[in-house]
Amino acid sequence: MGKYLLRRLVIGIPVLLLITLLDFVFINLAPGDPVQAMINPDRTPPGSVAYEEQLKALGLDQPLPIRYVRWLGEMISGNLGYSYMTHRPVTQIIGERLWNTFKLAGTSLLFAWIVAVPIGILAAVKQYSWFDYAQGALSFLWISIPAFFIGLLAIYLFSLKLGWLPVGGVATIGETPTLGDHLRHLLLPTLVLGLGNAAWLTRYARNSMLEVLSQEYLVTARAKGLKDRVILWRHALPNAVLPLITLGGLQFPELFGGAVIVETIFSWPGLGRLGVEAAFKRDYTVMMGLLLMVAVLVFVGNLLADIGYAIADPRIRYE
């Protein structure tokens, strides 16, 4: 296992470097630049002396390869640069939003698994029953509806009409922050983000259990007279959960992408909303910091999924 992990780390370094290179090139080749977002382009048009001075002050007058090498050198030393808009360290800006996104993503992932896995397993056990058809229809329906529509519908129903939950934010303005108030603000975005992931996770859990139930060793267990409950819980379920472990390792980083829409709708001050703000302001350094963090999370998620797979199944050995 140790040699395998070391080899994965060695392979992962050039992959991450390639990702940062592609991100840097595409971000800087996009139309516009930070100077256009900071000043009035009508008064200071591109090509004017004042415009060029602003580019030089931000270091954007240098060729793209030189700027990437400089950014890479700073990144290796642990410095992700400074925001073009606020002139604050990127690491500090991301650090202020990181915990909020981790809370939202973590609770959404936990909620999705608690809901999806039992429903998927039960649908497989009761294949072609009314429950199986109902969960399939609801899953496909929920997958087909965009997250922004579900979020707006949830705000209209639970916040504006019923008044049960707040519209957005992390706490009620003007009141002393409490745990209960924070959980009330967290509930609605968690449900919207979690149910979206639970819909397709239910399909994976169902298909995985159906594949396991058709294996010959389970047919043999039934022929020997073992009870269905023993066959399901001791033999089928542990093997059906194994493919879901890999999905779990990849699902957490993917939640950061889904959080972009949910955090924007619910005014949740997390990394997803920060990414939207940085894109509108063309804040290249903040965008690069966020993309780098997501790439690292995907790499770590894959690694943890492999480790969890080996722990859950003793037959798997990484040589």
Side-chain angles (χ1 to χ4, degrees), residues 23-80:
D23 290 339
F24 193 89
V25 170
F26 287 129
I27 288 176
N28 284 272
L29 291 181
D33 54 57
V35 177
Q36 293 182 3
M38 288 188 294
I39 62 178
N40 188 344
D42 295 330
R43 296 182 179 180
T44 311
S48 63
V49 176
Y51 187 89
E52 295 298 328
E53 289 179 352
Q54 287 287 345
L55 286 177
K56 186 176 181 180
L58 296 176
L60 298 176
D61 60 326
Q62 299 294 325
L64 195 60
I66 296 178
R67 288 158 50 194
Y68 173 73
V69 171
R70 288 181 176 177
W71 178 87
L72 185 62
E74 293 293 332
M75 185 270 294
I76 294 175
S77 64
N79 179 23
L80 296 179

Side-chain angles (χ1 to χ4, degrees), residues 95-116:
E96 293 174 352
R97 305 284 191 101
L98 184 61
W99 178 235
N100 287 331
T101 296
F102 265 105
K103 283 189 293 185
L104 178 59
T107 54
S108 300
L109 182 60
L110 180 62
F111 173 77
W113 274 71
I114 292 175
V115 172

